[in-house]
Amino acid sequence: GKGLAHYQAWRQTYRGLMPDAYLDAQSPEESIRRAALLPDTTLVALEGARVVGFVCYGPEARELAGRPGASEIMALYLLREAQGRGLGRALMEAALRLLPHREVVLFALEGNERAIGFYRHMGFCLTGRELRQETGFGELVELEMLLTRPDGWEPQGEEDLR
């Protein structure tokens, strides 16, 4: 389910954006293990019984985000065949409804213009902050994006999702 979708989406999305050797080192088993570590705060998009995308969100941003008092979108992946049909928007909107803070942070891989454009469309702005991570196969640079909700914004909570 989630792990295999994660593995396939990673390979489809990041070929050419991450070092090939790094991508090739990511086995399906590794992705399934990594997906198992994702918090329970994950929403999935299904086609039949198949997971074709997911969003993982954190009510409180991770420490490495360096944004206390913000929530975080940690991951949003869609398989290529599921893109362009509004599923990414639906997943993002559902996650945003569940996040308690006015500020929501996410990190987009430098060079992933498609994702950055999508996040801009959803109201996120580049802040100029970067996260740099040495992978052993080269450095990955992630760009911080921030959504600040309007004054007077109130979290809706889960009961409003039904």
Side-chain angles (χ1 to χ4, degrees):
K2 194 163 70 180
L4 211 49
H6 189 261
Y7 172 70
Q8 290 170 323
W10 252 64
R11 292 181 79 85
Q12 289 177 0
T13 303
Y14 292 133
R15 185 66 68 188
L17 290 175
M18 289 183 178
D20 280 351
Y22 179 65
L23 277 175
D24 293 339
Q26 308 299 312
S27 65
E29 296 71 28
E30 170 67 14
S31 272
I32 287 164
R33 189 189 65 74
R34 189 185 291 134
L37 297 175
L38 289 174
D40 292 335
T41 50
T42 300
L43 303 173
V44 298
L46 295 173
E47 280 187 355
R50 224 169 122 244
V51 176
V52 295
F54 66 90
V55 62
C56 175
Y57 58 94
E60 305 299 328
R62 293 169 298 171
E63 253 177 59
L64 68 82
R67 283 268 173 194
S71 298
E72 184 177 2
I73 298 290
M74 296 168 183
L76 175 64
Y77 292 111
L78 277 182
L79 295 184
R80 188 159 289 147
E81 76 244 29
Q83 292 174 6
R85 288 189 265 145
L87 290 172
R89 167 179 281 279
L91 283 169
M92 177 66 91
E93 286 176 346
L96 288 174
R97 279 198 296 274
L98 293 171
L99 292 176
H101 295 300
R102 189 173 161 216
E103 285 193 332
V104 182
V105 68
L106 62 78
F107 293 89
L109 191 67
E110 187 176 55
N112 191 352
E113 296 307 330
R114 185 173 179 168
I116 291 167
F118 170 76
Y119 296 136
R120 279 186 193 278
H121 195 67
M122 298 297 300
F124 287 82
C125 297
L126 287 163
T127 66
R129 283 183 72 223
E130 296 177 350
L131 275 186
R132 294 175 173 271
Q133 181 195 351
E134 184 46 62
T135 64
F137 298 99
E139 193 179 52
L140 293 183
V141 179
E142 293 186 286
L143 307 179
E144 182 186 69
M145 299 189 76
L146 189 67
L147 172 72
T148 303
R149 307 200 243 202
D151 277 336
W153 170 85
E154 287 289 322
Q156 294 181 23
E158 309 207 17
E159 62 282 356
D160 300 334
L161 282 181
R162 300 199 208 300

